[in-house]
Amino acid sequence: MGLSKVAIGRLLHISRLLDQQEEPVISSSVLEKITGYTSDSIRKDISLLEGDFSSNAGYKKEALSLAIKEKLGLLRERICCIVGLGRLGSAFIDYKGLEGSFFKIGAGFDSNVNRLEILQADFPLYPTFKMKEVIPRLNIEYAVLCVPPGEAQKAADKLADCGIKGIVNYAPVALHLPKGVQVENLYVSDALNSLAARIEILHD
Amino acid sequence: MGLSKVAIGRLLHISRLLDQQEEPVISSSVLEKITGYTSDSIRKDISLLEGDFSSNAGYKKEALSLAIKEKLGLLRERICCIVGLGRLGSAFIDYKGLEGSFFKIGAGFDSNVNRLEILQADFPLYPTFKMKEVIPRLNIEYAVLCVPPGEAQKAADKLADCGIKGIVNYAPVALHLPKGVQVENLYVSDALNSLAARIEILHD
């Protein structure tokens, strides 16, 4: 489809910022300003999309965001699981951040059976050894990895083996996975570095 | 210093990927491949750095990563606090992901005094009403916001009022903050969308 990983990242970023705007129509100069991308780069990315999202005053916000999600194949439901139900993982039990999204939590896994007995969730909880049976049966494609750093690589290998296509990794380690399994790391250190650099450089 | 927010993001991304490489020297074509950026864009970003990081075979990995961190002002210690010590926030009590970084957790805050009595951490824990006194006293510049979504904006306003410069936001809401306070959102939905788009598009 002719989109690089970098272009995908730009389109996702544009769509996220559009969703946060309150005005229904957004001019190309405002879009340039809030994204930080050049108008050339924005025009080029947007030229790949289909749909009616232009008006005299600029881009129709909702229609453009929808065209991006359509292009990126994001308009269908996907099931994910939470792996590791300690402090971090169990925080997803009453997490509201996926409401209204196309992602649904289908299951939670933990190797500690006592923990599974204590926790109560809207989605079913299973011991880790049941992954191989549960993941294909519930059509789970994505995993949110919340295990301690020392267990992360082993758990990721197991998830890859169960057919998981993508892993959101909270453990502060670099995972090595077979081609075909994508990883997105959510390291707090990266977020802090990003803040620090912006504060250091942009305030001049 | 002539760096845009987008260029800062690219440099941080390059530095992160360099830190994960095992080879001591990395050719510009490999750097192009792992980052996804064009060689022109990489050369332009790197031309802004100072230091001796080039060799015949390519870039010296460690020296280049260091030059980036130097340029972005990341080589000094910074203190952050954890705000909200529920499931997610308390996960930072035994978090190892900041070891070896320039960030240190200086304090934790929660409005629930019972919770503060139960938790044990290597850093001091305070009731929320002490923020205004504790944050300047401990030179805390950054906050990791782990409160429930309904409390996030109020907590962020309070942090801005206490002089916090940057907030890592885990709550799935868009924060509105005064100019001068930077926010980095760690939404699991963004990470899942990014994975889904890459899997959808790149596997063709």
Side-chain angles (χ1 to χ4, degrees):
Chain A
M1 293 197 198
L3 275 177
S4 68
K5 194 168 160 179
V6 176
I8 293 172
R10 276 199 307 266
L11 282 171
L12 282 170
H13 185 214
I14 292 172
S15 151
R16 273 202 291 278
L17 292 174
L18 285 172
D19 292 346
Q20 288 173 18
Q21 294 300 304
E22 280 165 22
E23 305 295 320
V25 173
I26 185 164
S27 70
S28 56
S29 64
V30 169
L31 196 53
E32 213 179 318
K33 189 164 167 262
I34 61 172
T35 60
Y37 305 135
T38 64
S39 55
D40 266 10
S41 147
I42 293 174
R43 249 196 311 273
K44 212 170 136 190
D45 289 340
I46 286 182
S47 72
L48 302 166
L49 308 174
E50 279 159 48
D52 173 28
F53 43 76
S54 295
S55 78
N56 288 337
Y59 300 109
K60 297 178 210 160
K61 187 196 84 167
E62 264 185 57
L64 177 55
S65 176
L66 196 68
I68 292 174
K69 289 175 186 138
E70 168 83 54
K71 176 72 182 177
L72 298 180
L74 298 178
L75 300 178
R76 69 166 175 88
E77 190 179 85
R78 291 176 162 94
I79 317 285
C80 62
C81 62
I82 309 298
V83 178
L85 298 167
R87 282 173 171 159
L88 172 62
S90 65
F92 285 99
I93 285 180
D94 35 35
Y95 186 69
K96 310 282 181 226
L98 296 178
E99 284 173 9
S101 86
F102 283 90
F103 293 94
K104 209 186 124 186
I105 302 177
F109 295 98
D110 200 288
S111 53
N112 181 332
V113 182
N114 291 336
R115 196 176 268 169
L116 295 175
E117 278 173 9
I118 295 163
L119 292 171
Q120 283 202 321
D122 287 340
F123 46 86
L125 306 179
Y126 301 97
T128 309
F129 71 84
K130 290 208 172 161
M131 266 184 185
K132 192 91 196 196
E133 180 263 318
V134 171
I135 285 176
R137 178 165 57 81
L138 299 183
N139 296 314
I140 295 172
E141 297 176 283
Y142 297 84
V144 180
L145 192 56
C146 302
V147 300
E151 297 169 29
Q153 182 63 52
K154 211 178 138 195
D157 287 339
K158 188 156 185 177
L159 287 165
D161 191 43
C162 294
I164 285 290
K165 295 177 184 170
I167 295 175
V168 177
N169 174 36
Y170 278 96
V173 290
L175 299 175
H176 300 281
L177 283 162
K179 246 185 137 88
V181 183
Q182 297 277 336
V183 178
E184 186 80 6
N185 296 306
L186 285 187
Y187 300 155
V188 73
S189 58
D190 288 349
L192 286 166
N193 270 321
S194 172
L195 284 175
R198 271 150 45 194
I199 291 163
E200 192 77 22
I201 307 282
L202 298 177
H203 84 296
D204 293 350
Chain B
M1 295 195 195
L3 274 177
S4 68
K5 194 169 163 180
V6 176
I8 292 171
R10 276 199 307 265
L11 283 171
L12 282 169
H13 185 215
I14 293 172
S15 152
R16 273 203 291 278
L17 292 173
L18 286 171
D19 291 346
Q20 289 173 17
Q21 295 299 303
E22 280 165 23
E23 305 297 319
V25 174
I26 186 164
S27 69
S28 56
S29 63
V30 169
L31 197 53
E32 213 178 319
K33 190 166 166 261
I34 60 172
T35 58
Y37 306 136
T38 63
S39 55
D40 265 11
S41 147
I42 293 174
R43 248 196 312 274
K44 211 169 138 193
D45 288 341
I46 286 182
S47 72
L48 303 166
L49 308 175
E50 279 159 49
D52 173 28
F53 44 75
S54 295
S55 78
N56 289 337
Y59 301 110
K60 296 178 211 159
K61 185 195 84 167
E62 264 184 58
L64 177 54
S65 175
L66 197 67
I68 292 174
K69 288 174 187 137
E70 168 83 54
K71 176 72 183 176
L72 298 180
L74 299 177
L75 301 178
R76 69 166 175 88
E77 189 178 85
R78 291 177 162 93
I79 318 286
C80 60
C81 63
I82 309 297
V83 179
L85 298 166
R87 283 173 171 160
L88 172 61
S90 65
F92 285 99
I93 285 179
D94 35 37
Y95 185 69
K96 309 282 180 228
L98 296 178
E99 283 174 9
S101 85
F102 283 89
F103 293 95
K104 208 186 126 187
I105 301 177
F109 295 98
D110 199 288
S111 52
N112 181 332
V113 184
N114 291 334
R115 197 176 268 168
L116 294 174
E117 277 173 7
I118 294 164
L119 292 171
Q120 283 203 321
D122 287 341
F123 45 86
L125 306 179
Y126 301 96
T128 309
F129 72 84
K130 291 209 171 159
M131 267 184 188
K132 192 92 195 194
E133 180 264 316
V134 172
I135 286 176
R137 180 165 55 83
L138 300 182
N139 297 314
I140 296 173
E141 295 176 284
Y142 297 84
V144 180
L145 192 56
C146 303
V147 300
E151 296 169 29
Q153 181 63 52
K154 211 177 138 195
D157 288 339
K158 188 156 186 178
L159 287 165
D161 191 43
C162 294
I164 286 291
K165 293 178 186 171
I167 297 176
V168 177
N169 174 36
Y170 279 97
V173 289
L175 299 175
H176 301 280
L177 284 163
K179 246 185 138 87
V181 183
Q182 296 278 336
V183 178
E184 186 80 6
N185 296 305
L186 285 187
Y187 300 155
V188 72
S189 58
D190 287 349
L192 286 166
N193 271 321
S194 172
L195 284 175
R198 269 148 51 192
I199 290 163
E200 191 80 20
I201 308 281
L202 298 176
H203 84 296
D204 295 349

